[in-house]
Amino acid sequence: MRCVWCQKLIIPEVNWQTFFVPTKVQTLCQTCFTGLKRITQITCKICGRNNSNDQICPDCEKWQQDPLYTDLLTFNRSVYQYNEQLQAMITKWKYRGDYVIHEAFRQDLVTNFETIFVKEVPDAVLVPIPLSEERLHERAFNQAEILAKSLPYPTKNVLKRLHGEKQAKRTRQARLASTNPFLLETSITKPVILIDDIYTTGTTLRHAAKLLKQHDCPKVYAFTLAR
């Protein structure tokens, strides 16, 4: 098999142990595998940041002080730090239609999800952050929905997104000041885990969480590929 990122040939190790118990299929070569920086320890208990000196980072403290957004998101957890390699991989996956790249994340995604959420919220529903119809037509698939379908919980597409400027092109200030781009098509009365690719400022997730909680959702969590 070849690495889904660099296309280098992967030659699995063969020994007595792997002869009787085959190893899992490797999708990344060792170099690309170690280039993804996994988040193993968090410091902010809300957003999952791993480089803050506080239990609640300054960004989340500001959200908590805003009466319109306080306590909307129980917590977010992410699999990877957003470094140069991951940025390149997500860019090729999302914007250049290289669908198969998501296989590089699947094993870490599922392992992290099961560790964090299976005991915490066993009855939750996954809600992927949607693309607008125009953006979905451009890309051919919604990356958040791909991630959600890799996970062992039911998925419901209950949010609709209005078309607007790409989030990646907005400044931090513009993201924080943006109006809610979502419409809720069906309410959910179970806990929800929002699924998205990147947690940046937390604005998108909180907009979605606000709508859900206004319509009887008891708790909203988030699970993202990168932080």
Side-chain angles (χ1 to χ4, degrees), residues 14-58:
V14 179
N15 53 39
W16 283 112
Q17 184 177 357
T18 60
F19 182 80
F20 290 105
V21 183
T23 57
K24 294 180 180 178
V25 174
Q26 294 175 267
T27 54
L28 293 173
C29 68
Q30 190 59 34
T31 301
C32 293
F33 180 82
T34 55
L36 292 174
K37 302 302 179 185
R38 292 152 184 82
I39 295 176
T40 57
Q41 184 176 7
I42 64 166
T43 51
C44 178
K45 64 182 182 180
I46 297 178
C47 71
R49 180 178 287 182
N50 64 330
N51 59 354
S52 170
N53 294 321
D54 307 292
Q55 276 200 320
I56 299 180
C57 71

Side-chain angles (χ1 to χ4, degrees), residues 34-182:
T34 55
L36 292 174
K37 302 302 179 185
R38 292 152 184 82
I39 295 176
T40 57
Q41 184 176 7
I42 64 166
T43 51
C44 178
K45 64 182 182 180
I46 297 178
C47 71
R49 180 178 287 182
N50 64 330
N51 59 354
S52 170
N53 294 321
D54 307 292
Q55 276 200 320
I56 299 180
C57 71
D59 284 351
C60 289
E61 191 68 53
K62 289 177 183 177
W63 284 117
Q64 290 296 90
Q65 291 171 0
D66 187 331
L68 296 177
Y69 292 98
T70 185
D71 294 330
L72 287 179
L73 200 61
T74 303
F75 63 71
N76 168 74
R77 293 294 179 265
S78 304
V79 182
Y80 304 112
Q81 296 179 42
Y82 191 60
N83 62 6
E84 288 186 11
Q85 178 178 313
L86 187 58
Q87 181 182 21
M89 294 176 78
I90 289 177
T91 297
K92 190 173 182 182
W93 179 40
K94 284 172 61 172
Y95 304 119
R96 298 174 194 166
D98 198 336
Y99 181 90
V100 76
I101 286 176
H102 83 279
E103 292 292 343
F105 315 127
R106 184 189 293 271
Q107 186 173 326
D108 283 337
L109 191 78
V110 173
T111 299
N112 276 259
F113 182 87
E114 290 177 344
T115 300
I116 296 163
F117 290 107
V118 168
K119 287 185 178 180
E120 178 79 21
V121 273
D123 60 339
V125 175
L126 306 181
V127 174
I129 295 294
L131 299 175
S132 67
E133 290 183 10
E134 293 86 348
R135 201 74 70 214
L136 184 59
H137 180 73
E138 285 177 14
R139 298 183 191 172
F141 59 85
N142 175 7
Q143 72 282 353
E145 189 170 357
I146 302 283
L147 296 173
K149 287 181 176 179
S150 300
L151 301 172
Y153 274 23
T155 298
K156 288 190 177 182
N157 292 296
V158 299
L159 294 170
K160 183 177 180 179
R161 189 175 199 143
L162 304 176
H163 189 58
E165 185 182 15
K166 292 179 181 179
Q167 284 290 87
K169 292 186 176 181
R170 291 183 173 184
T171 64
R172 178 181 179 80
Q173 289 72 24
R175 291 185 190 208
L176 292 172
S178 62
T179 55
N180 198 325
F182 299 115

